[in-house]
Amino acid sequence: MTTTLKFNTFQPYFRLIPFMKALEKLGKYSLLLYRSLRSLYEFNTYKKNLVNELLKIGYESVPIVLLTGVFTGAVMTIQTAYQLNIAFVPISVIGSITSESLLIELSAVITSLVLAGKVGARIATELGTMRVSEQIDALESMGFNSVSFLVLPRVLSGLIMFPLLYIFASVSGILGGLAAAYFSGALPPAEFMQGAREFFFPWDVTFGMLKAFVFGYVITSISCFKGYYATGGAEGVGNSTTQATVLSCIYVLLADFVLASVFL
């Protein structure tokens, strides 16, 4: 009876445990980002890693980004042509819908979801392996700022390279849609480009670049956080990598909704 009374007394506090754990993780994430911002002036510490990460996140991601863009644009064109097959609208509208969809939404979102698996998983695995093998502790014992040396260059590289990758994805997507329109016989390339030019607005590109910038920050910062605080050996590194990828995808979609609600 006494045990039951004690359990009932503390039961409301037990319900707060998940909330407190979430607050703890949010605090650790915010502190990690704060330490990263404070390390911006330590350029000599992270400049070499910054160049390496620019190559890994940017140059090494170009093939998968181009492939994703081409097939996204091609499929978008074919599906739009199928839906407008019996509609009383000019066929040039197919080019308008494809190009606008790519510039505003698909190039940034789909590319970021793909890169969450490629870039985010790699970052979480690298930092998680360094954490469980005590390499990060060794860096700090030698006087290195581990956040400046490991976290900051990865986040900065994401902020720089994701907008550039968005441009590659958009261009390749429009070219893929153009090729699909020609080879499928849906419409001539000239009419596709006419429709794309008629409804083109410079703000669409600006908005897409803004989305890519935010998505780059979301993916790299979450992956760095999960990898930097990984525990539990090889299994813990695997769990951190999985969590980094899943959370990156979720928060990319959430950020996409917020940005669309605010700026459109």
Side-chain angles (χ1 to χ4, degrees):
M1 183 67 177
T2 305
T3 305
T4 304
L5 289 175
K6 288 183 178 180
F7 178 78
N8 292 333
T9 302
F10 290 101
Q11 190 174 7
Y13 298 100
F14 293 150
R15 295 173 181 172
L16 292 176
I17 291 178
F19 178 71
M20 298 301 292
K21 288 183 177 180
L23 281 181
E24 179 187 4
K25 291 181 179 179
L26 178 61
K28 292 171 72 175
Y29 173 76
S30 303
L31 182 60
L32 182 66
L33 296 181
Y34 172 70
R35 291 174 61 190
S36 299
L37 290 175
R38 287 187 57 186
S39 304
L40 277 173
Y41 67 93
E42 301 178 9
F43 182 70
N44 290 330
T45 303
Y46 63 81
K47 63 180 180 181
K48 184 177 180 180
N49 271 357
L50 178 61
V51 174
N52 292 334
E53 289 300 321
L54 287 172
L55 292 174
K56 289 181 180 179
I57 293 177
Y59 177 74
E60 294 182 5
S61 299
V62 169
I64 187 65
V65 167
L66 293 178
L67 188 67
T68 303
V70 166
F71 282 103
T72 300
V75 171
M76 186 69 190
T77 298
I78 293 173
Q79 290 184 348
T80 304
Y82 169 75
Q83 292 173 344
L84 298 179
N85 189 32
I86 59 174
F88 297 98
V89 294
I91 59 174
S92 61
V93 172
I94 297 172
S96 305
I97 295 175
T98 300
S99 60
E100 286 296 290
S101 300
L102 287 168
L103 292 175
I104 293 178
E105 179 70 13
L106 297 179
S107 292
V109 174
I110 294 182
T111 299
S112 296
L113 293 176
V114 171
L115 293 179
K118 181 185 182 298
V119 174
R122 177 186 62 80
I123 290 175
T125 302
E126 287 178 351
L127 295 184
T129 302
M130 294 183 72
R131 170 61 73 183
V132 299
S133 61
E134 300 182 352
Q135 295 180 49
I136 295 179
D137 298 331
L139 285 173
E140 293 178 345
S141 67
M142 292 188 295
F144 274 93
N145 182 347
S146 61
V147 174
S148 173
F149 189 69
L150 298 174
V151 175
L152 183 59
R154 288 167 168 82
V155 176
L156 287 180
S157 298
L159 295 176
I160 295 170
M161 296 309 302
F162 269 64
L164 297 179
L165 294 173
Y166 159 79
I167 295 175
F168 279 105
S170 299
V171 173
S172 63
I174 293 174
L175 292 177
L178 187 67
Y182 174 75
F183 289 110
S184 66
L187 74 163
E191 294 208 30
F192 182 94
M193 294 306 299
Q194 177 187 348
R197 286 193 297 266
E198 283 179 353
F199 292 91
F200 172 77
F201 301 99
W203 167 247
D204 297 339
V205 179
T206 304
F207 182 59
M209 295 275 285
L210 174 63
K211 282 173 121 179
F213 182 83
V214 173
F215 295 163
Y217 166 77
V218 168
I219 292 172
T220 53
S221 63
I222 290 176
S223 301
C224 285
F225 169 71
K226 286 297 180 179
Y228 191 81
Y229 290 108
T231 57
E235 183 179 356
V237 173
N239 291 335
S240 297
T241 301
T242 302
Q243 292 174 15
T245 304
V246 173
L247 287 176
S248 295
C249 293
I250 292 173
Y251 283 105
V252 160
L253 296 176
L254 178 62
D256 182 36
F257 170 75
V258 172
L259 290 172
S261 301
V262 173
F263 291 102
L264 295 182

